[in-house]
């Protein structure tokens, strides 16, 4: 496994294989919501991470996990950004929108820095989980055409593509392992267990185990379990036969209910996504 080197770039941390890229393809990874609550200098709660050392330490394990699982043959970049907190999700919509906009503006800035100073005209993938996936449609819609043409794929793990998203000619959903640019999915044990915040308006999805969109089941071997993942083509969800209690996170019920496998949208499919990157990168 190659060594991960941290480099400070324009106010964010980018994780790369070296100061000089070693591989012909990049990954720009946007992490999920790792900070539950944040405080300003006076101790008042704020709804975007202030990126203290403690918050860096909350975010970094996910970045390093992804670098280990998909980053061993690509140049892997991932910003620490002023993500909205988990508590922000519980705010009224207008207040949440402010926190989301702050996070989005930071990611936009860091992505532009990556393209201008680090990409060096290489083809690249964008990958995001949960909050990170929420940023991807904006990045695709706003990037200059010359960069968009070099984007080999965009993986929205644990977040929806809406009908509004699909009106953009930049948001072309994947229909197979190689057709289309944007991969989106959310996993639940039953439709009624979905988390509306991430999947309530899903207009499309794909099963990243077999790259089908017609409901064809796929087998997933995860730790000691053999799971069946089937697409619900009406609600655009992935349905998993996992035992709900076995896949429940203590304390998560204020955000999603037992049977929503949001946390596992990252863990279940990382291998499949890495393999798909290899296929797309060889085209």
């Amino acid at each position: 496994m190659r060594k991960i080197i941290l480099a400070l770039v324009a106010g964010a941390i980018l994780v790369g294989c070296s100061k000089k890229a070693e591989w012909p393809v990049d990954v720009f990874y946007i992490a999920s919501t790792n900070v539950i609550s944040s405080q300003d200098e006076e101790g008042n709660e704020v709804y975007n991470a202030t990126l203290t050392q403690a918050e860096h330490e909350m975010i970094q394990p996910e970045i390093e996990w992804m670098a280990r699982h998909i980053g061993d043959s690509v140049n892997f970049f991932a910003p620490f950004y002023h993500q909205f907190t988990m508590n922000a999700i519980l705010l009224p919509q207008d207040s949440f929108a402010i926190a989301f906009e702050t996070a989005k503006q930071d990611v936009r800035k860091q992505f532009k820095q990556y393209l201008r100073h680090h990409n060096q005209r290489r083809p690249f993938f964008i990958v995001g989980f949960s909050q990170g996936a929420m940023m991807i449609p904006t990045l695709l819609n706003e990037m200059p055409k010359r960069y968009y043409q070099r984007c080999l794929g965009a993986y929205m793990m644990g977040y929806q593509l809406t009908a509004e998203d699909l009106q953009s000619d930049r948001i072309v959903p994947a229909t197979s392992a190689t057709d289309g640019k944007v991969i989106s999915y959310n996993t639940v044990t039953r439709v009624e267990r979905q988390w509306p915040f991430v999947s309530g308006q899903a207009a499309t999805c794909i099963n990243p185990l077999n790259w089908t969109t017609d409901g064809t089941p796929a087998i997933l071997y995860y730790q000691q379990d053999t799971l069946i993942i089937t697409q619900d083509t009406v609600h655009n969800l992935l349905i998993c036969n996992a035992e709900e209690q076995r896949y429940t996170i203590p304390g998560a019920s204020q955000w999603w209910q037992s049977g929503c496998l949001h946390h596992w949208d990252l863990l279940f499919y990382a291998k499949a996504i890495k393999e798909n990157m290899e296929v797309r990168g060889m085209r």
Side-chain angles (χ1 to χ4, degrees), residues 43-280:
N44 301 308
E45 182 168 15
V46 293
Y47 294 99
N48 289 92
T50 57
L51 298 182
T52 62
Q53 180 59 38
E55 290 178 351
H56 280 112
E57 292 172 0
M58 296 175 192
I59 300 167
Q60 187 167 328
E62 179 185 327
I63 292 175
E64 294 188 344
W65 190 93
M66 285 302 293
R68 289 194 303 271
H69 284 79
I70 67 172
D72 61 348
S73 58
V74 296
N75 310 302
F76 187 93
F77 301 92
F80 286 157
Y81 65 100
H82 294 284
Q83 59 179 240
F84 60 75
T85 65
M86 289 297 294
N87 281 352
I89 299 170
L90 306 176
L91 293 171
Q93 181 56 39
D94 56 347
S95 297
F96 168 76
I98 295 172
F100 173 66
E101 186 64 22
T102 297
K104 184 171 70 173
Q105 292 291 348
D106 199 5
V107 170
R108 291 162 90 179
K109 180 181 71 174
Q110 301 306 334
F111 185 63
K112 288 177 181 178
Q113 289 288 328
Y114 154 72
L115 290 178
R116 291 172 181 168
H117 302 293
H118 301 279
N119 175 253
Q120 299 179 12
R121 300 185 178 181
R122 290 185 298 271
F124 62 93
F125 295 97
I126 307 174
V127 186
F129 172 47
S130 193
Q131 177 173 176
M134 294 175 70
M135 311 297 175
I136 289 178
T138 296
L139 300 184
L140 290 171
N141 281 321
E142 293 183 351
M143 74 176 69
K145 183 177 180 180
R146 66 185 183 277
Y147 294 119
Y148 181 82
Q149 291 173 335
R150 295 208 303 271
C151 180
L152 300 176
Y155 299 84
M156 294 175 57
M157 304 182 295
Y159 198 71
Q160 63 198 347
L161 279 175
T162 67
E164 182 179 358
D165 291 328
L166 298 181
Q167 292 179 18
S168 168
D169 60 3
R170 292 290 189 90
I171 311 297
V172 183
T175 55
S176 72
T178 56
D179 292 330
K181 194 180 290 283
V182 188
I183 292 89
S184 171
Y185 60 83
N186 291 274
T187 312
V188 296
T189 58
R190 292 176 279 165
V191 169
E192 58 269 25
R193 298 301 197 187
Q194 72 172 307
W195 186 16
F197 179 74
V198 299
S199 61
Q201 299 182 63
T204 185
C205 77
I206 193 167
N207 188 330
L209 297 177
N210 56 17
W211 300 100
T212 63
T213 59
D214 61 2
T216 302
I219 297 175
L220 171 66
Y221 299 102
Y222 181 74
Q223 297 182 352
Q224 304 303 313
D225 290 340
T226 300
L227 305 173
I228 307 297
I229 309 293
T230 306
Q231 180 189 1
D232 182 316
T233 58
V234 175
H235 299 91
N236 296 302
L237 293 165
L238 300 182
I239 308 299
C240 176
N241 66 337
E243 180 183 345
E244 289 185 359
Q245 292 305 311
R246 183 176 173 84
Y247 289 89
T248 295
I249 299 176
S253 59
Q254 58 185 314
W255 293 284
W256 63 80
Q257 57 187 324
S258 178
C260 171
L261 301 180
H262 183 65
H263 179 70
W264 285 272
D265 280 328
L266 177 69
L267 305 180
F268 279 175
Y269 309 108
K271 180 180 178 182
I273 286 173
K274 176 178 171 57
E275 291 172 350
N276 186 247
M277 287 180 179
E278 293 171 351
V279 171
R280 287 172 175 260

